Amino acid sequence: MQVPLFGHVPMILGADRARLSKRHGATSVMAYQEMGYLARGAGELLVRLGWSHVTRRIFTIEELIHAFSLEAVGKSPAIFNPENYSG
């Protein structure tokens, strides 16, 4: 049996550059859904916080799976500021 490979994306920090946690700045997925965010858009945002692709910005799930590589995952923490993503 082959041992699976594992990786870890960088931490996601809040606008204040402190680590997001359930006690500091994190918002539940359900709360974002209630605010009108679509699941696909939220997934796309999470992917883009820790990973980049040279030539494309928007992917279907199938395209994302094919294009993803650990080499393109950043090493520095990602900063998430919800004000940058509000309507």
Side-chain angles (χ1 to χ4, degrees):
M1 183 169 100
Q2 185 177 7
V3 177
L5 298 175
F6 293 93
H8 193 287
V9 296
M11 292 292 256
I12 299 174
L13 306 180
D16 62 355
R17 301 214 179 334
R19 187 177 75 173
L20 288 181
S21 70
K22 64 183 179 182
R23 292 181 185 88
H24 179 75
T27 302
S28 73
V29 173
M30 298 303 286
Y32 280 113
Q33 184 180 24
E34 290 168 6
M35 289 186 272
Y37 288 84
L38 301 176
R40 180 166 182 229
E44 188 85 23
L45 172 64
L46 287 172
V47 166
R48 303 302 285 179
L49 282 173
W51 174 77
S52 66
H53 190 272
V54 176
T55 60
R56 296 203 41 203
R57 291 185 48 131
I58 299 174
F59 294 87
T60 66
I61 294 297
E62 293 79 19
E63 292 169 334
L64 179 62
I65 291 168
H66 181 72
F68 184 83
S69 70
L70 286 176
E71 291 78 26
V73 172
K75 292 177 179 34
S76 300
I79 307 297
F80 175 64
N81 184 349
E83 292 181 11
N84 294 341
Y85 302 99
S86 59

